[in-house]
Amino acid sequence: MEAASIGAGASQRRRSKGIPERRLAVLMVAPSMILIAIVAVWPIIYAIWLSLHEYSVRVAGLSRWAGPFGLRNYSNALSDPAWWAALEHTLIFTVVSVALELLIGLAMAMAMHEAFRGQGLLRTVVLVPWAVLTVVTAIMWQTMFVSPYGFVNTVLGTSTVWLGSEPQALIIIIIADVWKTAPFMALLILAGLQVIPGEIYEAAKVDGATTWQRFTRITLPLLTPAILVALIFRTLDALRIFDLPYVLTGGQNGTSTLSTIAQEAFATNRIYGLGAAMAVLTFIVVMVVSFSYIKFVGGNIRGLADD
Amino acid sequence: MRGRFGLSAALAVSACALVVAACGGSDSSSSSSGGGGGSSSSSSGGVTVTGAKVIDPNSMNSPPKGTIHYCQGKDTNGAAHENVKLFNQKYASQGYKVVLTEFPASADQQRAQFIQRQQAKSNDCDVFSSDVIWTAEFASQKWLYDLSPYVSKFRAKYIPAPLETVHYANKYWGVPASSDAAFLFYRTDKVKSPPATWQAVYADAAKQGGIVYQGAPYEGLTCDFLELGFAAGGQVLDSSGKKSAFNSPANVKALQLMVDGIKNGSAPKAVTTYMEPQTDQAWTSGKYGYMRNWTYAYAADQTGGSKVKGKYAVAPLPTFEGAGKAGILGGHNSVISVYTKNPGLALKYADFTASPEWQKISLEKYSSAAILNATYDDAGVKKAIPYAAELKQALGQAKARPVSPVYPQISQAIYKNVNDALAGRASPADAIKKASDQINSALSTF
């Protein structure tokens, strides 16, 4: 109480002109809020608005409210088995690819964390896949898996039609994604590793902890916040996967995703209402996943920030 | 505070999912204001396009001086640059100029780029090189000049099939610019003369290493399938254009032949992932006896490390046993944007591209199939293009793909289900029926 009133008195003295501090804060934040509103909020509102309407594909300029409560586009999307199939593929892709990226990224980070000659070079080289454009990555993997003359078939001596079979096509997309983004995961985890003080390890060594014990009892617990941040980023990214299936399989052979079918409805078929509804549904799926991450692991993120 | 930051960050990341959809958003309220000719109302089979601007064919004789922009996909072989250069040389003294704008090489991208400009009512593209399958869609959105008065005057000089691709709702919406059709490529060292029927081709292919074609789920497969389906007597839409006629014994028979071909080893299973580049790659490896591909491959597959250099010839697509022969028409049309400020000059340029003078150069030098009958009888063309006679024959038997504003959906219904059947995920009869149902729901799109 005492401290608060002293603080208030001091600030009043500073502002003799008389803009209350609260309003000043609002004024100073306003420009960036307006910018965010234009760049982030308006497109979302516009997409939701589109999703509640139907725009004629055959008659120029004709549009109407989309049926009961404006939800016909949503009911059309949700009653289409193609949407549920895309959801299934997207979830499988997300769970498997993010899990693999985490394991491989962790291993890469541990390796990069050790001090040795050429460490800088290794860190740069490891990042190369992440630097390559996803579409280029996709074309590269396509060339490797093309049947029957691709690199993979030549090495294995097979003539498997990798990209034309289920579930091989989805597996290749997962491999390509893991190849590309494991380094990103590694980098985020490496950043977390570097803030763990070396003294803790030294103390543990003195107490006779084995390497494995040091990893499970010290490294992992202290790394959890960094890992969770990395997981959130990758999961949200993976749920929106588009470019790899678009280039590798055109979304056929069990590789359609929420984004490929939304793009097909919106851009290829120009059914704007349905396409926007599918995008909003993707948004909802992503939101649900984000909220559950924050609900279940929110404490840990706060823990990281408080450190 | 920190918790809230985490939450809003999650919000912002997930919001990106929406931006993709929002940025392409259309405000397609139509404007029928503006001069440049009268208005037309047209209908065919219940399809109408009303209030379109109509071109005045005489406007091209002495249009106002100025510059117009011609848009097309990436000019990979330099043909468009030469076309524009010749036009500018010819008319510079009169104050006319055309500037070339190149869009990306991908057809989907070209279409998207043009659509975005038209939705913005931009005059970036006075003339656009439209793939033959887009014309109906653009016309129904009132983005194109009705060119009927001009096209009707010269109807006789065009090969009929390319002309059909600009015909929608009883009007002509573009000037044919180039055409294309597929050939049956065969190895002259393995096959003496090309078999007369598709059935015989598949039977012989099993002994000659196989036939390769485009079986990946994309527009190319729609063409590859319809070539057999149309030859077998199948159809996509009924005569009213409002209902699917796809579910027919003829189409099932055609698909059955393709599916059996993969099962018996007449075609490698890998064709289900092939687009044109992979087809060329397989063909030039020298392993296969037959290939179905567009005309470009005749010259392209002689180059580089090709193992079939000088070892193949082309024939028009064969007959379907007990039925007829067919083909699918490719190519581009010059369409004129309603937002052009100089429709007369735009027409003058479209007319130049369709002229005998340019069509001859285009075929001789760039092996792009001409849209005029006369070009194929030219002695110079016959000498430069060894397959000129086969090409004219192939164009003669080719048909246009369904002309519809919802064509993209119709094509998806065909290529996705045909691909499912080729990959063994559905029986031919089920695939055709499912495609037909999907075509019907596409046709009922608002």
Side-chain angles (χ1 to χ4, degrees):
Chain A
M1 277 301 252
E2 187 77 343
S5 64
I6 290 170
S11 70
Q12 261 161 17
R13 237 173 291 133
R14 253 185 274 122
R15 292 176 290 96
S16 47
K17 291 277 162 61
I19 305 179
E21 191 162 280
R22 191 168 271 276
R23 198 190 294 167
L24 187 69
V26 170
L27 279 175
M28 293 179 78
V29 173
S32 54
M33 288 320 255
I34 292 171
L35 196 69
I36 290 173
I38 294 172
V39 175
V41 181
W42 166 244
I44 296 174
I45 294 174
Y46 186 53
I48 294 173
W49 175 256
L50 282 179
S51 76
L52 300 176
H53 290 79
E54 288 182 297
Y55 299 86
S56 178
V57 179
R58 19 181 88 253
V59 184
L62 196 63
S63 67
R64 67 183 181 201
W65 185 244
F69 311 108
L71 296 178
R72 194 189 292 131
N73 289 321
Y74 291 92
S75 61
N76 284 349
L78 293 176
S79 62
D80 186 350
W83 190 83
W84 292 100
L87 179 68
E88 188 191 328
H89 306 148
T90 310
L91 292 179
I92 293 173
F93 169 81
T94 303
V95 171
V96 179
S97 70
V98 173
L100 288 174
E101 280 154 24
L102 175 65
L103 290 177
I104 296 171
L106 187 60
M108 286 163 82
M110 301 294 290
M112 287 193 288
H113 188 51
E114 298 298 320
F116 58 91
R117 281 189 56 175
Q119 188 191 40
L121 182 73
L122 179 76
R123 286 184 186 174
T124 316
V125 169
V126 156
L127 263 185
V128 166
W130 175 248
V132 176
L133 288 175
T134 313
V135 172
V136 176
T137 306
I139 293 171
M140 198 181 77
W141 284 90
Q142 184 180 44
T143 319
M144 283 168 55
F145 278 100
V146 73
S147 177
Y149 300 107
F151 165 77
V152 176
N153 273 331
T154 313
V155 168
L156 298 180
T158 53
S159 56
T160 312
V161 187
W162 297 100
L163 292 166
S165 328
E166 275 179 67
Q168 285 90 330
L170 188 59
I171 293 174
I172 289 164
I173 289 175
I174 290 172
I175 293 174
D177 193 66
V178 170
W179 179 82
K180 183 180 158 58
T181 45
F184 173 72
M185 204 72 144
L187 208 68
L188 287 180
I189 295 172
L190 181 62
L193 272 179
Q194 287 181 334
V195 299
I196 300 177
E199 301 91 68
I200 303 183
Y201 290 103
E202 278 157 28
K205 260 188 211 166
V206 170
D207 289 343
T210 62
T211 314
W212 179 249
Q213 280 172 333
R214 291 200 299 271
F215 177 71
T216 52
R217 303 283 172 82
I218 300 174
T219 311
L220 276 188
L222 290 176
L223 209 51
T224 310
I227 288 179
L228 287 173
V229 169
L231 275 182
I232 291 185
F233 269 107
R234 280 307 309 145
T235 307
L236 302 193
D237 241 7
L239 286 170
R240 294 181 282 123
I241 181 73
F242 172 75
D243 23 24
L244 286 174
Y246 184 76
V247 175
L248 280 170
T249 58
Q252 190 83 345
N253 309 319
T255 60
S256 59
T257 66
L258 293 176
S259 296
T260 60
I261 61 166
Q263 188 269 353
E264 184 176 271
F266 198 95
T268 310
N269 298 339
R270 291 196 305 108
I271 310 174
Y272 299 123
L274 180 66
M278 285 175 169
V280 173
L281 288 172
T282 308
F283 175 75
I284 291 170
V285 170
V286 172
M287 283 301 296
V288 167
V289 173
S290 327
F291 276 129
S292 21
Y293 260 115
I294 283 156
K295 192 166 159 42
F296 293 123
V297 300
N300 282 303
I301 295 176
R302 236 169 270 140
L304 170 76
D306 287 341
D307 275 341
Chain B
M1 252 338 238
R2 262 134 198 175
R4 216 182 296 160
F5 167 75
L7 192 133
S8 49
L11 253 165
V13 174
S14 46
C16 300
L18 279 174
V19 175
V20 175
C23 55
S26 81
D27 169 36
S28 41
S29 62
S30 77
S31 131
S32 51
S33 63
S39 264
S40 81
S41 157
S42 58
S43 75
S44 85
V47 189
T48 53
V49 177
T50 52
K53 288 189 199 173
V54 184
I55 203 84
D56 170 9
N58 297 320
S59 64
M60 69 177 215
N61 296 331
S62 52
K65 287 181 184 174
T67 301
I68 57 161
H69 291 262
Y70 164 62
C71 303
Q72 71 151 53
K74 191 167 163 43
D75 185 20
T76 46
N77 60 5
H81 280 91
E82 180 164 359
N83 168 277
V84 166
K85 198 178 89 192
L86 289 176
F87 180 87
N88 289 341
Q89 273 170 7
K90 193 168 174 188
Y91 295 109
S93 58
Q94 297 172 46
Y96 301 134
K97 193 180 170 196
V98 172
V99 175
L100 172 68
T101 304
E102 284 179 79
F103 284 165
S106 134
D108 286 344
Q109 281 299 317
Q110 294 162 28
R111 172 172 168 267
Q113 296 258 345
F114 183 67
I115 288 177
Q116 279 170 24
R117 281 167 174 77
Q118 297 310 97
Q119 283 174 338
K121 304 191 197 317
S122 138
N123 67 342
D124 282 358
C125 299
D126 300 272
V127 179
F128 176 60
S129 173
S130 163
D131 192 300
V132 292
I133 54 178
W134 302 330
T135 317
E137 180 190 4
F138 295 164
S140 71
Q141 292 295 315
K142 291 183 200 164
W143 289 332
L144 307 182
Y145 260 98
D146 172 2
L147 304 183
S148 306
Y150 165 84
V151 175
S152 306
K153 257 168 76 176
F154 305 105
R155 203 158 22 199
K157 70 175 187 173
Y158 299 111
I159 298 174
L163 204 54
E164 271 316 296
T165 65
V166 290
H167 196 214
Y168 172 66
N170 276 332
K171 302 274 173 192
Y172 293 101
W173 301 94
V175 184
S178 67
S179 193
D180 205 358
F183 282 134
L184 180 68
F185 290 69
Y186 60 97
R187 288 281 297 276
T188 42
D189 53 344
K190 292 183 174 179
V191 183
K192 276 200 188 114
S193 67
T197 66
W198 274 113
Q199 280 80 355
V201 168
Y202 270 91
D204 193 47
K207 295 175 223 148
Q208 310 295 351
I211 176 170
V212 284
Y213 58 90
Q214 297 80 45
Y218 79 119
E219 182 61 32
L221 177 55
T222 298
C223 299
D224 283 37
F225 170 73
L226 288 180
E227 280 162 359
L228 276 119
F230 283 164
Q235 282 177 302
V236 177
L237 304 181
D238 71 359
S239 53
S240 76
K242 284 179 160 174
K243 268 190 74 180
S244 164
F246 194 66
N247 191 4
S248 66
N251 281 333
V252 176
K253 245 167 55 188
L255 184 53
Q256 187 74 51
L257 180 66
M258 293 171 85
V259 169
D260 289 346
I262 289 180
K263 275 192 199 140
N264 312 336
S266 299
K269 190 175 179 242
V271 293
T272 59
T273 60
Y274 283 4
M275 298 192 194
E276 283 87 355
Q278 292 88 355
T279 316
D280 289 325
Q281 206 185 347
W283 173 247
T284 52
S285 75
K287 186 175 172 237
Y288 300 98
Y290 294 93
M291 169 174 77
R292 176 272 176 210
N293 211 340
W294 303 95
T295 49
Y296 82 92
Y298 185 88
D301 291 354
Q302 308 273 14
T303 58
S306 173
K307 291 185 182 142
V308 293
K309 231 177 268 183
K311 288 185 191 162
Y312 60 85
V314 296
L317 298 181
T319 310
F320 198 90
E321 216 168 76
K325 49 174 111 181
I328 291 296
L329 212 62
H332 285 80
N333 301 317
S334 307
V335 297
I336 299 179
S337 162
V338 287
Y339 305 114
T340 178
K341 299 214 167 78
N342 197 341
L345 183 52
L347 184 63
K348 195 180 191 69
Y349 176 61
D351 178 71
F352 172 78
T353 301
S355 68
E357 172 194 355
W358 171 253
Q359 289 294 319
K360 178 172 146 70
I361 298 172
S362 174
L363 178 54
E364 258 179 25
K365 222 171 136 182
Y366 303 103
S367 30
S368 158
I371 43 98
L372 302 176
N373 283 307
T375 311
Y376 294 90
D377 303 328
D378 183 281
V381 166
K382 280 184 181 165
K383 210 174 140 214
I385 303 292
Y387 55 87
E390 285 85 357
L391 180 54
K392 193 179 180 188
Q393 212 182 325
L395 292 176
Q397 72 187 51
K399 294 191 169 86
R401 280 161 275 177
V403 180
S404 164
V406 293
Y407 178 75
Q409 290 183 72
I410 295 175
S411 180
Q412 281 156 24
I414 296 174
Y415 66 65
K416 285 184 180 175
N417 288 297
V418 168
N419 181 266
D420 277 339
L422 294 181
R425 286 187 292 265
S427 75
D430 289 348
I432 295 287
K433 182 173 182 309
K434 195 168 164 203
S436 183
D437 293 344
Q438 287 173 358
I439 291 169
N440 272 329
S441 65
L443 290 167
S444 65
T445 309
F446 171 58

